[in-house]
Amino acid sequence: MTQITLRRPDDWHLHLRDGAMLRAVTPETARHFGRAIIMPNLMPPVVTGAQAADYRERIRAGIPEGSDFTPLMTLYLTEETDPADVAKAKAQGIITAVKLYPAGATTNSASGVRDFDKVRPVLETMAEHGIPLCVHGEVVDGDVDIFDREAVFIDRVLDPIRRATPGLRVVMEHITTKDGVDYARAGGDTLGATITTHHLVINRNHILVGGIKPHYYCLPVAKRETHRQTLLEAATSGDKSFFLGTDSAPHTDPNKESACGCAGCFTATNTMSVLAEVFEQQGALDRLEAFTSLNGPAFYGLAPNEARITLEKGDAVRYPEKIETGDGPVTVFDPGFPLHWRVV
Ligand code: DOR
Ligand code: ZN
């Protein structure tokens, strides 16, 4: 096969940031994607419906002329979130989902949730109104090893929340383990899981062998190879529980290449080429569309995009190593193998 046409893909987990960074990275996603779920972990975070509406305007201003890219907004859940504001923001068509960060789990998560009982009323309201909860699924307890944080989160936090709030629609974001895959598979219609591009490509050796590679450091951190293999099987299976959420997370090079570097891989620019390569290697090109363009909208109760994109296989495609932003250069994810599929 040398050509494949898909419904225009969507990105169900994306960081666009704000200001100069927003203006530089938004076109990278808008080029290939129809919609994206926009993460609210700005500084300060996007907590209210009014803030989400303002942020959406700033994003819209950064979308290139002629693009029909649609940002789908989220609210950052805090212990002070007002259930009525969440319901109103949904009713007004401002938000699509709410994001749960355990406090301290990742970039700009300090305002996240410490005591999960405090957000019960918001979760009840969300279940009632069919508003999905997007979950960063890692515990932050100092005694839990960073490689175990996802598995422990499922047992200690996620499963109890889902049992206590039947009907709550939950997206396990950027799953990285067999534990995550197994739990998502068994979760029925109210549970979905996103998988990033980079977690399909790298394992923990990529970060640590032969010198530390800050551009492969993200959260949840990449796990051992057996977990990556399980993620590959899940993503290429066609199972509607699994869909693309790139977690493309731009940080400038100085912030990545540092004694205390930021977490995040920037994959917006080359994601479709990388995924086509990966799915082809798995003999699953015919299931790429389910992962990038069908399963996500189905979970969110939206129609798939009407527009199509075509990928063509040919000589190796070259992407820029970095994109320039007003805040400094951002390194584009290097999958470590040549890419032959280009979006035409
Ligand atoms: O690698 C990550 N980067 N993981 C996250 O959860 C947050 C993100 C960011 O905002 O940079
Ligand atoms: Zn993220």
Side-chain angles (χ1 to χ4, degrees), residues 12 37 39 74 97-101 126 132-136 169-173 300:
W12 299 97
I37 286 273
M39 286 298 120
T74 60
V98 172
K99 173 72 188 245
L100 167 64
Y101 287 104
M126 289 169 59
L133 179 71
C134 297
V135 177
H136 183 112
R169 302 182 66 71
V170 173
V171 183
M172 300 170 70
E173 300 202 281
Y300 277 92

Side-chain angles (χ1 to χ4, degrees), residues 109-146:
S109 62
S111 318
V113 178
R114 266 162 242 281
D115 177 355
F116 295 95
D117 285 337
K118 293 218 173 109
V119 297
R120 301 241 79 260
V122 186
L123 301 183
E124 297 289 348
T125 299
M126 289 169 59
E128 206 175 296
H129 293 265
I131 306 168
L133 179 71
C134 297
V135 177
H136 183 112
E138 290 191 287
V139 293
V140 294
D141 311 51
D143 61 333
V144 179
D145 189 275
I146 190 165

